[in-house]
Amino acid sequence: MTLLRVRLKNGRMSRPALSTVAELFKPITWFPPMWAFGCGVVASGAPVSERWGLVLVGVLLAGPLVCATSQAVNDWFDRHVDAINEPNRPIPSGRMPGRWGLYIAVLWTLLSLAVGLVLGPVGFAAAAVGLLLAWAYSAPPLRLKRNGWWGNAACGLSYEGLAWITGAAVMAAGGWPSERSMLLALLYSVGAHGIMTLNDFKSIEGDKQMGIGSLPVRLGVDGAARAACFLMAGPQAVVVAMLIEWGAIGHALGVAGLLAVQLGLMWRFLAAPRERATWYSALGINFFVLGMLVSAFALRATTGQTG
């Protein structure tokens, strides 16, 4: 007899299909933290060949474990909202029966913590904070997502900043990353706050009904769109200025060029935010994450000059 069984009305025992579990974990959302982890690895300046095993563990932790956990936690505590906004999701549709969603979220949290131990104290701490933010974002009593400012900040920090710091810490043999690397991680976390807002435009009705104060609900569609663009573009402008200060002129021009493309796309997005939020997410964010990698290589290139 297994722990995670659910009894149906006809008396039979049922489990969700593996495809339903995979859908609960939303693999498409794993890319940002895995990418940020890789940027942290690059920014460290250390040769990957000496720690490639830990890098693979870190990528696994960032995406299929911690990020997947956050998706399971969110789907469980958002099941009533999803019944309005996305009724075909695994839990509201009934394909994830009983309390399976919660059990999987708890199990994946424990597994993530266990794997995080492999990465040393700093890597484990970053993973633990990321998991805490995942639960705080969705679960009561905090349920940070009820306030779009706090909720998106938690997501941005977890998806970008903590993943970057974990990657850099792994390459630093468990020590803390450099101050410059930490600063870049923080700036891109702020940028991710704006990215998270883009995802809220599709669920305005359900959020209003369930008391979720996303930025589109709080600021209105146009106000939230302007805030998202400012939060995405502003930190990148600061990164450009920092790279110039650090002497990485070529890299600064690269990030500036990618930012210029985003500004052009933002202009079109602002003309019809609700209709084009998904369009911008699919297109504009690519230039944001490319800028992350360029800035990571800039830091790698200046590592020898800064010690």
Side-chain angles (χ1 to χ4, degrees):
M1 181 175 180
T2 64
L3 179 63
L4 304 180
R5 288 184 176 177
V6 178
R7 186 174 297 278
L8 299 180
K9 290 181 180 179
N10 60 9
R12 294 184 304 166
M13 308 303 288
S14 177
R15 303 178 181 85
L18 290 179
S19 60
T20 302
V21 176
E23 186 180 348
L24 180 76
F25 285 149
K26 297 180 186 174
I28 194 172
T29 66
W30 300 352
F31 171 76
M34 292 168 68
W35 182 272
F37 179 89
C39 288
V41 169
V42 171
S44 71
V48 176
S49 59
E50 296 179 2
R51 305 183 71 80
W52 63 268
L54 287 178
V55 170
L56 290 178
V57 172
V59 170
L60 174 68
L61 182 66
L65 289 175
V66 173
C67 185
T69 299
S70 72
Q71 298 303 325
V73 172
N74 186 63
D75 268 29
W76 173 255
F77 289 103
D78 260 12
R79 61 194 185 279
H80 304 302
V81 181
D82 286 343
I84 300 171
N85 292 326
E86 299 179 87
N88 292 323
R89 291 292 304 151
I91 296 176
S93 69
R95 290 180 290 117
M96 180 72 65
R99 300 175 68 84
W100 263 87
L102 178 61
Y103 297 147
I104 290 173
V106 172
L107 176 63
W108 235 242
T109 297
L110 297 175
L111 181 60
S112 299
L113 289 171
V115 173
L117 288 170
V118 178
L119 301 181
V122 177
F124 173 78
V129 172
L131 290 165
L132 284 173
L133 290 174
W135 283 87
Y137 175 79
S138 298
L142 290 180
R143 196 157 166 75
L144 295 176
K145 71 175 299 174
R146 287 181 297 197
N147 184 312
W149 294 109
W150 288 107
N152 288 356
C155 285
L157 180 60
S158 180
Y159 274 50
E160 303 294 353
L162 287 173
W164 180 305
I165 290 170
T166 304
V170 165
M171 302 308 292
W176 286 101
S178 68
E179 292 182 2
R180 291 183 175 183
S181 187
M182 296 276 283
L183 186 55
L184 286 176
L186 178 60
L187 285 167
Y188 281 111
S189 295
V190 175
H193 189 298
I195 294 174
M196 296 300 148
T197 299
L198 297 174
N199 192 52
D200 294 331
F201 285 95
K202 72 180 189 309
S203 56
I204 295 175
E205 284 76 16
D207 288 347
K208 285 181 178 179
Q209 293 182 42
M210 302 304 295
I212 304 297
S214 65
L215 292 194
V217 172
R218 287 176 173 271
L219 305 179
V221 170
D222 291 336
R226 289 191 294 268
C229 290
F230 177 79
L231 288 167
M232 286 186 286
Q236 294 179 81
V238 176
V239 168
V240 171
M242 288 170 43
L243 295 182
I244 294 174
E245 174 67 21
W246 297 344
I249 306 300
H251 296 86
L253 291 174
V255 175
L258 292 166
L259 176 57
V261 175
Q262 292 171 71
L263 291 173
L265 296 173
M266 286 176 186
W267 185 265
R268 186 167 189 267
F269 161 66
L270 288 171
R274 195 164 186 176
E275 294 78 7
R276 293 175 182 162
T278 302
W279 166 81
Y280 187 89
S281 293
L283 185 59
I285 304 309
N286 295 315
F287 300 98
F288 179 92
V289 298
L290 283 174
M292 287 178 62
L293 186 60
V294 172
S295 65
F297 272 111
L299 195 55
R300 187 179 191 87
T302 61
T303 297
Q305 304 171 25
T306 62

